[in-house]
Every structure is written in C-alpha cells, then in structure tokens.
Amino acid sequence: MIERRTGSDQAFDSMASAAPLAAEAPARAPRVLLGISGGIAAYKSADLVRRLIERGAEVRVVMTEAARAFITPLTLQALSGHPVRSELLDPEAEAGMDHIALARWADQVVIAPATADLIARLTHGLANDLLTALVLATQAPLTLAPAMNQQMWAHPATQENIARLVARGVRLLGPASGSQACGEVGAGRMVEPVEIAAAMLPVSGGGLRGVQVLMTVGPTREAIDPVRFIGNRSSGKMGYALAAALQQRGAQVTVVAGPTSVAPALGLECVAVESALEMEAAVMGRVAECDLFIAAAAVADYRPEAPALAKIKKDADSIALRLVRNPDILARVAALDRPPFTVGFAAETDQVEAHARAKLKAKRLSMIAANQVGAGEGGFESDRNALVCLWCDGRRELPMMPKPALAAALAALIEERYGAQTAG
Ligand code: PMT
C-alpha cells in the first residue's frame, strides 16, 4: 500500500502545478474544471464550487452519469454560473464549447469525489464518458480527491491504480480518515472542500498575517417609517468577496455590513447594521484596533430627517420628505489623528478616474478603488466588475472579471501598497 498522509496535512501539500493567486493583477481568473463522479461525497462538491469561486477561480463542472444520482446538475449550474456537462456526444454543447475546447480551457482539473471506478478508468486511459475523455484531452494538471468505502480504498487493485496515476504526475488530495457514510471507520473520506480549494489555489505570501482589517460592506437603509426605507442597489458581493480574499492572505477581518443576502465566508466576524448612523457607530467603536480600514459599503449620503413613528398613510396626493446629510464614515476614519491604512471605493457614472482621484485627495485616503456604475457590465449587483485603483503617485487597472477573482487581485494590491507604506 502507498504510504501517504491523509486529511488536512496532505491537502496542503504544495505542487509545482498548483496555481498560486498572483500578487500582480491576473489578466483573467484561474480556470478550474471540476469533475464529479458518483459517490455520496458528491454532495460536498457543491460547497467545493463555492470555495473555488471564493478563491477567485472561474469554475466549470462536468459530471459522470452516476454523479447525477447524488446531486443535481441544476445545483452546480446555479453555483458555478455555467451549464453543467455530462454527455460526450451532446450536439448542442459541442456546437458551443466542445469537449476539446473545454479541455483546453482549463488551467487545472480536479475530480472530487474520485470514486474507485473512475480511478480505475483513468488508470487505463478509458474515454468512455465526457469526464474521462477530457482528462485524456487536457494538458492541465490533474488533482484527484478520492472518496470511497475504506475496504475499496485499501484493495490492492485501487492501490495499484493510484500508484500508477501518481507515477504519471497526478496529484492526490486525501482521502481523509474517519467515520464513513456506510458506517465503517477508516481512510476513504473526501478531503473537506475548503482544504481542496486551498490546495488548488494557494495564496502566495499570506503577507497580511496578523493584520487587523475593518471593512464596511453592502447598502444602508434609511428609515422613512417603520416599514419603508431609502436604500440602494449594493448586493454586498464585492465587499464580501474582498473580505474573503483578505482572509486568505492571513488578515483578521471584521465586517460591518448592511442588509444583504450574501453568505459570508467562514470565520469572518460580522456586525450587522441597517442605517448609516449605525454603521458609523459600529466602525468608530472598532477602528482603534484596526491596521487597515476598507469602505466598500454604499452608504446613503442622506437620511430622512424625522422618520415617522407609524406607517405613513396614503391619504395625500403628494408628500415631501426632508433629507439631512449622513456622516461620511470613510472621511471620519481617514481624519483620525492616527488613521489606519485607509482604502475607499468610488462608484461613479462618468469621469470615473477623475472623480475618484478627487475623492482620494479630498478624503486623504491611502488608496481608492473606482468602479463604473449605472451602465453596462459591472458595478452594483452584477457578478462581475472592473476597477481602477489609485494612490498618491500610482494607479493600476484591474480588468472586468468575476468579483471573487477581482477581489483576489485587489487584495494582492492592497497587501502590496500596505507593505510599501509600512516599510516606508
Ligand atoms: O455590493 P455590490 O452589488 O457588489 O456592488 C459593489 C459596489 C458598487 C457597491 C462597490 O464596488 C462600491 O463602489 N462601493 C462604494 C459605493 C459608494 O458609496 O461610493 P461613493 O463614491 O458614493 O463613496 C465613496 C467612498 O466613501 C466609499 O468608500 C463609501 O463607502 C464611503 N462613504 C460614502 C458615504 C458615506 N456617508 N460614508 C462613507 O463611508
């Protein structure tokens, strides 16, 4: 039997072919092709899609026929944002991204779970379904996360197959040991998705280890009466993706968040607020402990002066709402005697760079990330975005890409600029 470590140790094994998240802005997101074969651990593959995307990857999913008995393609399509493929001879799919194009598209291929049957077919170079054909057709490095009954894993046939695949350069993550769905205990559990994602897409450097980050994320709601509010289109996608990317670089991140439906990354400390005044209080109460402050929230600039205590009745033909200015949270933080490294965002409909540079100067920020909003792709609510990042004597453009990938690139830039300031 092959001696190998199991579980988290092994999942973090490094390998030349793993694609670290680059410190420089990537021209595009890393592309991961996720293959799913038919085992009970397939339910975990849904979480793996999320974890890979959180780390900035674009993910496409290919399932074997048996995998479809354990998890629906629709779930994986919804999570990956792309159609899921299973058929080798699917005229519709072959007219779009054919299986050879898909094989070339991938920077990395991971099969999780990899069953005993799939491992045997890969060992013998079979191409009797889309997933095995893709493995033969791709030049991308292949990672397997085996999952099966412990006796099947220990069987000499499986062990010989694994030895041959490893000798061919295939990377193994796991299996982990523990109690299994079949009631037995032993080696054969699929390594946890979060560990697979970390091993596939390691973050270079981790240079924010020990750095305390405080962020604002999402919209604010300014009450008109107990049931109505003034709000905006911020979904929180950009802010939460940035929080996850900073965490992956080792930072300790606290998020002060307005109402959104985004599920925060594991381990993120979240403080829920509604209004700009609540957000301001939550930030000012915590800012003394932070090294880095990032304002990704779309804070309402104005609020109703006197919200009604009871629901306003629709008796009048028109009503007037008097608004008063909200405090500028970012400007307040940057004006502290000993401000943290302060990163603002700028949401602009026109002259994006000029307006953003004016905000950088006026609010005395360390850096600002500007995005175009209100027209075309990107900005509010969208899954994709582009930024132009400015600091006193520099700029960097981060092109249109999925928000998790953009967040990974922005986190790398923030780490770089923060490092330059603290070194200087
Ligand atoms: O949430 P998503 O749907 O993913 O969309 C992302 C985003 C478009 C909301 C995000 O990328 C973004 O641009 N966030 C900042 C939006 C904004 O309010 O920009 P602004 O140009 O109006 O404000 C400039 C800066 O001052 C921002 O950092 C803002 O957080 C901060 N500000 C503004 C007003 C205020 N009262 N307090 C503040 O702290």
Side-chain angles (χ1 to χ4, degrees):
M1 186 181 299
I2 303 163
E3 261 305 301
R4 75 185 79 256
R5 286 174 291 151
T6 56
S8 53
D9 282 347
Q10 189 172 345
F12 283 95
D13 277 352
S14 64
M15 180 180 164
S17 56
L21 302 184
E24 279 296 310
R28 60 166 174 75
R31 295 166 171 173
V32 177
L33 183 73
L34 169 61
I36 304 177
S37 59
I40 179 63
Y43 80 92
K44 291 187 184 176
S45 307
D47 190 34
L48 179 54
V49 173
R50 269 195 64 202
R51 301 291 166 204
L52 291 166
I53 291 174
E54 262 174 24
R55 296 182 88 88
E58 188 171 351
V59 180
R60 291 187 183 247
V61 179
V62 169
M63 302 173 78
T64 64
E65 197 53 43
R68 297 164 71 103
F70 291 93
I71 183 167
T72 70
L74 198 59
T75 304
L76 298 153
Q77 175 173 326
L79 289 168
S80 68
H82 294 288
V84 171
R85 289 198 53 189
S86 294
E87 305 292 331
L88 183 54
L89 305 172
D90 174 351
E92 205 174 302
E94 293 294 305
M97 191 181 250
D98 66 57
H99 70 283
I100 299 295
L102 198 52
R104 289 189 187 133
W105 172 89
D107 297 323
Q108 298 193 67
V109 178
V110 57
I111 304 181
T115 58
D117 173 72
L118 186 93
I119 288 168
R121 290 193 287 134
L122 293 179
T123 306
H124 294 285
L126 298 190
N128 54 351
D129 64 5
L130 178 61
L131 184 54
T132 48
L134 276 169
V135 169
L136 285 189
T138 190
Q139 291 188 338
L142 172 63
T143 300
L144 300 181
M148 66 197 75
N149 164 269
Q150 51 99 17
Q151 290 289 355
M152 293 172 77
W153 172 250
H155 195 285
T158 305
Q159 290 301 311
E160 280 166 27
N161 289 339
I162 285 289
R164 284 168 70 180
L165 290 170
V166 168
R168 268 184 226 157
V170 173
R171 178 196 202 190
L172 268 196
L173 297 176
S177 292
S179 56
Q180 301 201 285
C182 56
E184 296 179 15
V185 176
R189 285 166 60 95
M190 189 171 105
V191 168
E192 289 306 315
V194 70
E195 296 177 86
I196 298 173
M200 300 287 299
L201 301 162
V203 173
S204 60
L208 293 177
R209 205 159 298 286
V211 174
Q212 300 286 335
V213 177
L214 181 64
M215 290 184 68
T216 64
V217 166
T220 62
R221 287 181 179 176
E222 310 301 325
I224 297 171
D225 67 18
V227 296
R228 306 179 180 97
F229 58 84
I230 297 175
N232 64 65
R233 294 182 184 282
S234 172
S235 63
K237 288 177 192 170
M238 189 69 236
Y240 276 118
L242 182 57
L246 292 161
Q247 259 189 328
Q248 284 155 21
R249 294 187 162 267
Q252 194 70 38
V253 185
T254 301
V255 159
V256 177
T260 75
S261 56
V262 174
L266 281 178
L268 200 63
E269 190 184 329
C270 295
V271 182
V273 295
E274 278 217 5
S275 66
L277 290 181
E278 286 172 18
M279 188 172 269
E280 183 197 29
V283 166
M284 298 318 289
R286 289 167 178 78
V287 72
E289 283 91 55
C290 82
D291 307 298
L292 235 157
F293 175 71
I294 304 173
V299 186
D301 291 316
Y302 293 90
R303 67 179 183 278
E305 185 176 38
L309 296 176
K311 185 179 172 192
I312 299 170
K313 296 289 171 208
K314 56 174 186 217
D315 303 331
D317 284 342
S318 66
I319 56 171
L321 203 55
R322 190 175 158 75
L323 304 178
V324 292
R325 272 290 284 270
N326 268 328
D328 191 312
I329 304 168
L330 175 62
R332 260 200 85 183
V333 170
L336 290 171
D337 284 345
R338 291 163 52 94
F341 185 91
T342 306
V343 181
F345 271 72
E348 308 292 346
T349 52
D350 61 301
Q351 298 180 61
V352 175
E353 187 159 344
H355 288 311
R357 198 162 278 286
K359 283 181 184 170
L360 176 79
K361 277 195 191 136
K363 299 193 190 189
R364 302 164 67 96
L365 308 177
S366 315
M367 188 176 151
I368 196 159
N371 42 200
Q372 170 102 41
V373 294
E377 203 182 11
F380 289 104
E381 293 174 308
S382 166
D383 288 331
R384 292 163 67 83
N385 201 12
L387 293 168
V388 52
C389 302
L390 309 172
W391 54 98
C392 65
D393 55 357
R395 73 188 290 283
R396 191 168 303 164
E397 281 183 38
L398 305 179
M400 187 64 70
M401 60 182 116
K403 281 181 176 170
L406 185 66
L410 179 57
L413 180 59
I414 290 173
E415 179 182 317
E416 186 186 311
R417 297 305 315 152
Y418 175 72
Q421 173 161 308
T422 46

